[in-house]
């Protein structure tokens, strides 16, 4: 068992990330449950949920960037903010073209956001609790590619996009739990 010798900056960042990760877990589960009820078509609720998810990611990345200033450069988080904002607009536009277009935009976002999450997790691994984020980033890249490929299926649905949020939320929960020691400064 290893211990984490956390500086005050790491302890504060870990504490803020821990709270954020718990919120991200709860949001992902609630969003996925709501999305599953509308995944078969692009009605107004589905469109709203599809635009909301990347906007929530923007808000989470802003909070993360503010919390992370003391422990390193938040430059990649700014990239994530920009990519998620572009995705929210792209998804809103793609909704007018149908589910395949939405899956292509969603998939591209999952790939880029996954790469960013993986790199951020690697740079934060000394803080502890980041292996779930690294794994989640890798899974996001693979899931994104599958969304893009799935967009060409005979009758694509948004079910996989809804299901994508659940493992991500679980990885945020695991990471939040693992950040407990670093947040306490142990």
């Amino acid at each position: 068992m290893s211990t984490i010798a956390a500086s005050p900056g790491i302890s504060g960042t870990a504490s803020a990330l821990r709270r954020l990760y718990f919120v991200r877990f709860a949001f992902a589960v609630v969003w996925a449950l709501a999305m599953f009820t509308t995944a078969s078509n692009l009605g107004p609720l589905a469109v709203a949920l599809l635009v909301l998810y990347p906007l929530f990611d923007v808000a989470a990345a802003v909070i993360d960037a503010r919390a992370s200033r003391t422990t390193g450069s938040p430059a990649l988080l700014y990239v994530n903010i920009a990519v998620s904002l572009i995705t929210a607009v792209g998804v809103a536009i793609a909704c007018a073209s149908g589910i395949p277009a939405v899956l292509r935009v969603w998939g591209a976002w999952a790939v880029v956001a996954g790469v960013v999450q993986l790199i951020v997790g690697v740079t934060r691994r000394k803080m502890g609790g980041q292996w779930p984020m690294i794994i989640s980033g890798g899974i996001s890249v693979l899931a994104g590619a599958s969304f893009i490929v799935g967009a060409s299926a005979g009758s694509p649905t948004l079910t996989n996009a809804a299901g994508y949020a659940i493992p991500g939320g679980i990885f945020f929960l695991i990471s939040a739990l693992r950040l407990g020691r670093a947040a306490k400064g142990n």
Side-chain angles (χ1 to χ4, degrees):
M1 178 187 258
S2 66
T3 59
I4 299 167
S7 71
I10 289 176
S11 176
T13 300
S15 180
L17 291 178
R18 188 168 197 251
R19 287 188 304 274
L20 176 62
Y21 290 176
F22 279 128
V23 170
R24 291 193 75 160
F25 162 72
F27 176 82
V29 170
V30 170
W31 182 89
L33 292 174
M35 193 65 206
F36 274 127
T37 66
T38 66
S40 61
N41 63 50
L42 275 174
L45 180 58
V47 171
L49 289 169
L50 288 165
V51 172
L52 177 63
Y53 198 93
L55 290 177
F56 181 83
D57 195 57
V58 168
V62 166
I63 293 166
D64 192 335
R66 287 183 181 159
S68 301
R69 285 190 185 130
T70 60
T71 58
S73 171
L76 281 172
L77 295 169
Y78 296 138
V79 169
N80 190 56
I81 291 166
V83 168
S84 293
L85 278 172
I86 291 166
T87 299
V89 172
V91 165
I93 293 168
C95 284
S97 297
I99 291 175
V102 171
L103 287 173
R104 287 182 187 99
V105 172
W106 196 266
W109 174 53
V111 169
V112 175
V115 169
V116 170
Q117 184 179 20
L118 192 147
I119 295 169
V120 169
V122 167
T123 63
R124 289 180 174 167
R125 69 183 183 283
K126 289 181 184 177
M127 181 186 313
Q130 294 304 300
W131 283 108
M133 295 295 90
I134 294 167
I135 295 166
S136 180
I139 290 171
S140 184
V141 170
L142 297 174
S146 76
F147 298 148
I148 294 167
V149 170
S152 299
S155 44
T157 70
L158 298 169
T159 304
N160 289 343
Y164 164 73
I166 293 174
I170 291 169
F171 281 116
F172 276 114
L173 176 62
I174 294 167
S175 192
L177 295 171
R178 293 187 51 89
L179 278 170
R181 280 187 273 155
K184 293 176 186 169
N186 294 334

